[in-house]
Amino acid sequence: MHDRGEVAEITKRKILQIVKDLNYQPNLLASTLASKKPYLFATLFPAPPSSDGYWNKPAIGVKKRIQELNQFGVDIQPFTFNQAEPKSFIENAEKILSINPEGIVFAPFFKKESESFIEQLKERNIPFVFIDSEIKLAGQLGYVGQNSYQSGMVSGKLLDLILPEGNILVMHFAKEMDNQNHLVQREKGFYNWFKKNKQTTRQLYTTEISDTSSDIWMDQIVNTIHKKNIKGIFVTNSKVYYAGRLVEKFGWDDMKVIGHDLLRENVLFLKKNLVQFLICQRPEEQGYNSINKLFKYIVQKKGIAKENYTSIDIVTKENVDFYKEF
Amino acid sequence: MHDRGEVAEITKRKILQIVKDLNYQPNLLASTLASKKPYLFATLFPAPPSSDGYWNKPAIGVKKRIQELNQFGVDIQPFTFNQAEPKSFIENAEKILSINPEGIVFAPFFKKESESFIEQLKERNIPFVFIDSEIKLAGQLGYVGQNSYQSGMVSGKLLDLILPEGNILVMHFAKEMDNQNHLVQREKGFYNWFKKNKQTTRQLYTTEISDTSSDIWMDQIVNTIHKKNIKGIFVTNSKVYYAGRLVEKFGWDDMKVIGHDLLRENVLFLKKNLVQFLICQRPEEQGYNSINKLFKYIVQKKGIAKENYTSIDIVTKENVDFYKEF
DNA sequence: TTGCATTTCGTGTTCGTACACGGAAAAAAT
DNA sequence: ATTTTTTCCGTGTACGAACACGAAATGCAA
């Protein structure tokens, strides 16, 4: 009998001894069948700007695992927030609290707002796992995502490898860089690869583009690219297709481009040889694994690994077809 | 009620209509709990020569999935055969038949012997999935493994990329090449990448080494390497460490080596920069997935995808650490 | 129509666990 | 010692589907 308190200490110990002796394994099937208790999970991800946006992908993995687990009475309620508005994060966090789920997966995109959310989760004893980026030692059940610094190293190595000569431009397509923690980490890793491995014959430059609503951002970039003899571009997130469009528009056929994530348009550029490598982090798998962590801990009551760094996949024209299916 | 025949056609249709209307989903928990039927699976893999051998890895994945499924009454009985002796394949195939499992995963290493095995499996209606290599249209439930030809293409691209000048040697470490179908495929893909993408300024050579019991094989290789100005080596299977030892022994520090699979010793050479890239096919995941295919089909009675090409992972010093865990 | 074989269908029990409930035992109060 | 209260523990029913078994319905032949 498991911990409902109404047992004498002596018999309890006796029973536990027998349990050990017989190596008793509770039958999960019978258990969940009998309990008939529904489990509700919630996710809080950034809202993807389009149906092709990056954040659809973790959601796909989430949905898949939930479907597999619906036999166990596990259900999901997804929430999203606007990447540009911390307020929407707070609002949706509150919505989540109001439905009182047994477990949560979320992306701690805004640090301060996430921390206050975490406070409330701890009060209510609701376990949570981070996805994509993480806050260290915040009491999370675990983290599912990539090691951004190391993936930056990989990008550095690859871009250097394919670049006979010329300088490099690191491009951040993002607003509010301070919060986009992993973009900064990737940049660091990228720079450090050159510091460690090369006696720096190349120059590295960094630029931030926050507004891509029209093509005016290109003008300034074109300028630097010519002035600084840029021959390689590293895009720190999934907006590689912007760089692809740029290269295509101006017909720079010796420009080498590298970036992140297998969005449809990115893959198109990869196949057209306008982008040479894409670094991929299997976002669907991350979504899948994050739910699985909750399930194992909450339903199966098993211990789980805390950190779950997904692989840093190097994707190129020749192997991309084997990454697209899930 | 599901197909035990003793129902009137009319009521059957009525019932099925209601089933549809209510969108009835059978409860797998209750179902397997009530049936209490044990499922026995069997695997037939090549016997790994040591505890570090390649074929331990699929077995790890198999074991993991089996453990997760032991609640469902799924058990496994593993068999192995000697890669050098078709007879041992036959012997173990017969052993498998004698225990009469509900499903089988095996590597169709010897074509002829596999085909006669398949005949018998079909007679008994035992579903089977291929792992690692496949025989097309043999009535298998599915295939889990890599597209060898395409992985050869990837190797070609990478080796070309890192090689400023010089010629290339393709090394097969294997006996009985005729049966090792995927090694040939990899070689083909490798050659074809150069044919398609390069106006061949490089020469490509191929060699087979069947006996590595002592180091005498090296003598002849050293000879060709010098004569032919070999600067790059592609090992078509997991025996990359042999090439690594060679390079280390003779101190060729401009030799670039590329090969397959994350064996412990291969990774060591990778970290020492004596091997530049390893192509990896997630063998543990393959084992895991192959069992999962059997489970879904046999226990859950769901349809499954036939082909399951695993990704062609490009592994280098910088990202290897994120591939080792499973 | 009757008797018998065959087909079709409903019911009861079972799988291993959860949880509620009531009774026995122990402790406390009178 | 008796009653009341509290603590502890055994038993019964339920979860949803599988399967066996027997009853009912039907078909068939005489």
Side-chain angles (χ1 to χ4, degrees):
Chain A
M1 177 173 294
H2 279 296
D3 278 337
R4 250 177 302 144
E6 27 189 46
V7 202
E9 194 55 40
I10 320 151
T11 43
K12 182 175 175 184
R13 238 174 301 161
K14 267 193 214 164
I15 296 293
L16 289 180
Q17 183 56 44
I18 297 175
V19 164
K20 250 194 180 173
D21 290 350
L22 297 186
N23 187 25
Y24 166 78
Q25 301 275 69
N27 184 325
L28 225 197
L29 300 189
S31 172
T32 61
L33 178 61
S35 81
K36 197 51 196 161
K37 181 178 165 191
Y39 292 94
L40 179 58
F41 294 164
T43 56
L44 182 54
F45 298 163
S50 74
S51 69
D52 189 43
Y54 174 80
W55 279 99
N56 287 298
K57 300 188 174 233
I60 290 172
V62 165
K63 223 180 284 170
K64 177 160 184 205
R65 188 58 180 151
I66 291 292
Q67 262 172 18
E68 290 175 3
L69 297 179
N70 84 337
Q71 299 278 5
F72 293 85
V74 179
D75 201 6
I76 188 80
Q77 189 123 11
F79 293 85
T80 59
F81 61 89
N82 187 324
Q83 299 205 32
E85 290 180 27
K87 226 191 291 175
S88 81
F89 181 92
I90 297 178
E91 280 166 20
N92 283 283
E94 266 162 18
K95 276 190 207 160
I96 288 182
L97 290 175
S98 75
I99 65 169
N100 201 38
E102 346 283 329
I104 297 174
V105 180
F106 77 103
F109 196 79
F110 303 110
K111 192 159 189 218
K112 218 182 65 193
E113 287 77 4
S114 296
E115 275 167 351
S116 88
F117 185 35
I118 290 168
E119 275 309 307
Q120 294 175 281
L121 293 179
K122 280 187 182 168
E123 262 175 38
R124 299 172 195 226
N125 256 327
I126 303 179
F128 57 96
V129 326
F130 291 139
I131 191 168
D132 195 66
S133 59
E134 95 178 300
I135 298 173
K136 294 272 182 190
L137 299 177
Q140 66 272 38
L141 208 62
Y143 163 62
V144 176
Q146 211 173 44
N147 184 318
S148 305
Y149 176 84
Q150 199 64 27
S151 92
M153 297 270 283
V154 173
S155 302
K157 175 186 188 136
L158 290 176
L159 191 48
D160 184 58
L161 208 55
I162 56 180
L163 214 59
E165 64 90 29
N167 297 322
I168 289 172
L169 182 62
V170 177
M171 300 178 81
H172 296 297
F173 286 95
K175 331 178 185 185
E176 309 215 29
M177 276 298 294
D178 45 314
N179 271 318
Q180 302 252 8
N181 195 278
H182 45 298
L183 302 202
V184 179
Q185 290 299 314
R186 283 173 184 166
E187 183 185 353
K188 263 195 200 162
F190 189 83
Y191 271 80
N192 273 358
W193 188 87
F194 286 93
K195 199 179 283 175
K196 283 186 186 165
N197 292 280
K198 286 277 172 169
Q199 275 62 291
T200 182
T201 55
R202 300 188 199 285
Q203 292 292 325
L204 305 188
Y205 302 92
T206 298
T207 182
E208 290 177 26
I209 293 124
S210 58
D211 183 13
T212 49
S213 54
S214 78
D215 276 4
I216 35 175
W217 62 270
M218 289 192 176
D219 303 340
Q220 180 207 339
I221 299 296
V222 170
N223 202 17
T224 33
I225 282 180
H226 285 145
K227 272 200 184 144
K228 307 287 191 185
N229 187 34
I230 300 295
K231 295 291 182 190
I233 293 176
F234 170 45
V235 180
T236 55
N237 62 7
S238 63
K239 314 287 187 186
V240 192
Y241 53 89
Y242 284 125
R245 289 178 195 167
L246 184 72
V247 172
E248 192 166 43
K249 186 173 175 183
F250 292 92
W252 299 321
D253 50 347
D254 58 343
M255 180 69 77
K256 307 289 185 187
V257 180
I258 203 168
H260 280 84
D261 300 322
L262 296 187
L263 301 192
R264 200 185 44 78
E265 206 178 348
N266 292 350
V267 172
L268 247 49
F269 281 117
L270 190 71
K271 293 212 165 178
K272 280 198 276 186
N273 252 331
L274 291 171
V275 168
Q276 275 65 43
F277 284 107
L278 287 172
I279 307 297
C280 162
Q281 55 179 324
R282 306 192 176 225
E284 296 93 347
E285 215 172 287
Q286 288 178 15
Y288 187 93
N289 286 338
S290 62
I291 293 296
N292 203 33
K293 266 194 187 331
L294 286 184
F295 172 70
K296 278 196 177 168
Y297 181 78
I298 296 173
V299 183
Q300 306 206 57
K301 296 168 204 323
K302 287 185 184 176
I304 54 173
K306 276 207 93 172
E307 309 248 310
N308 191 341
Y309 288 112
T310 45
S311 54
I312 299 171
D313 295 324
I314 300 171
V315 179
T316 174
K317 206 178 154 188
E318 282 79 9
N319 67 351
V320 61
D321 289 333
F322 303 98
Y323 282 97
K324 287 200 293 191
E325 41 188 307
F326 172 62
Chain B
M1 177 174 292
H2 279 296
D3 278 336
R4 250 178 301 145
E6 29 189 43
V7 202
E9 194 55 39
I10 320 151
T11 42
K12 184 176 174 182
R13 237 174 302 160
K14 267 194 217 163
I15 297 291
L16 288 180
Q17 184 54 46
I18 298 175
V19 164
K20 252 194 179 172
D21 290 349
L22 298 186
N23 187 24
Y24 166 78
Q25 301 276 70
N27 184 324
L28 226 198
L29 301 189
S31 171
T32 61
L33 177 61
S35 82
K36 197 49 197 159
K37 182 176 164 191
Y39 293 94
L40 180 58
F41 293 165
T43 56
L44 181 55
F45 297 163
S50 75
S51 69
D52 188 42
Y54 173 80
W55 280 97
N56 287 298
K57 300 189 173 227
I60 289 171
V62 165
K63 224 180 283 168
K64 177 160 184 207
R65 189 57 180 151
I66 291 292
Q67 262 172 16
E68 290 175 4
L69 296 179
N70 84 337
Q71 298 277 7
F72 293 85
V74 180
D75 201 7
I76 188 82
Q77 187 123 11
F79 294 85
T80 59
F81 62 89
N82 187 323
Q83 301 204 31
E85 289 180 27
K87 226 192 292 176
S88 81
F89 181 91
I90 298 176
E91 281 167 20
N92 283 283
E94 267 163 17
K95 275 191 209 159
I96 287 181
L97 290 175
S98 76
I99 64 169
N100 201 38
E102 346 282 330
I104 297 173
V105 179
F106 77 102
F109 196 79
F110 304 110
K111 190 156 189 220
K112 218 182 64 192
E113 287 76 4
S114 296
E115 275 167 350
S116 87
F117 185 35
I118 290 168
E119 275 310 306
Q120 295 176 282
L121 293 179
K122 280 187 182 169
E123 263 175 40
R124 298 172 195 225
N125 256 327
I126 302 178
F128 57 95
V129 324
F130 291 139
I131 191 169
D132 195 64
S133 57
E134 101 178 296
I135 298 174
K136 294 274 182 188
L137 299 176
Q140 66 272 37
L141 208 62
Y143 163 60
V144 177
Q146 214 173 41
N147 184 318
S148 305
Y149 176 84
Q150 201 63 28
S151 92
M153 297 269 284
V154 173
S155 302
K157 174 182 187 141
L158 291 175
L159 190 48
D160 184 60
L161 207 56
I162 56 179
L163 213 59
E165 64 90 29
N167 298 322
I168 289 173
L169 183 62
V170 177
M171 299 179 82
H172 296 297
F173 287 95
K175 331 178 185 184
E176 308 214 28
M177 276 295 295
D178 46 315
N179 271 318
Q180 302 251 8
N181 194 277
H182 47 295
L183 302 202
V184 178
Q185 289 300 315
R186 284 172 183 167
E187 183 186 352
K188 262 194 201 162
F190 189 83
Y191 272 78
N192 273 359
W193 188 88
F194 285 94
K195 198 179 287 176
K196 284 186 186 166
N197 292 280
K198 286 278 173 171
Q199 274 61 293
T200 182
T201 55
R202 301 187 198 286
Q203 291 293 323
L204 305 187
Y205 303 91
T206 297
T207 182
E208 291 176 25
I209 293 123
S210 58
D211 183 14
T212 49
S213 53
S214 78
D215 276 3
I216 35 175
W217 63 272
M218 289 191 176
D219 303 340
Q220 180 208 340
I221 299 296
V222 170
N223 202 15
T224 35
I225 282 179
H226 285 146
K227 272 201 184 143
K228 307 287 191 185
N229 187 35
I230 301 295
K231 294 292 179 189
I233 293 176
F234 170 46
V235 181
T236 55
N237 63 7
S238 63
K239 313 289 187 185
V240 193
Y241 52 90
Y242 283 125
R245 289 178 195 165
L246 184 72
V247 173
E248 192 166 43
K249 188 172 174 184
F250 292 92
W252 299 322
D253 49 348
D254 59 343
M255 181 69 77
K256 306 290 185 186
V257 180
I258 204 168
H260 280 85
D261 300 321
L262 296 187
L263 301 191
R264 198 185 44 77
E265 205 178 348
N266 291 350
V267 171
L268 249 49
F269 281 117
L270 190 70
K271 293 212 163 176
K272 279 197 276 186
N273 252 330
L274 291 171
V275 167
Q276 275 65 42
F277 285 106
L278 288 172
I279 306 297
C280 162
Q281 56 179 324
R282 307 195 174 220
E284 296 93 347
E285 214 173 288
Q286 287 179 15
Y288 187 94
N289 285 337
S290 63
I291 293 297
N292 202 33
K293 265 195 191 325
L294 287 183
F295 172 70
K296 279 197 176 166
Y297 181 79
I298 298 173
V299 182
Q300 306 205 61
K301 297 169 205 323
K302 287 185 185 176
I304 54 173
K306 277 209 92 170
E307 308 249 309
N308 192 339
Y309 287 111
T310 46
S311 55
I312 299 171
D313 294 324
I314 301 172
V315 180
T316 175
K317 206 180 157 188
E318 282 81 7
N319 67 351
V320 61
D321 289 333
F322 302 97
Y323 282 96
K324 289 200 292 190
E325 42 188 305
F326 173 61

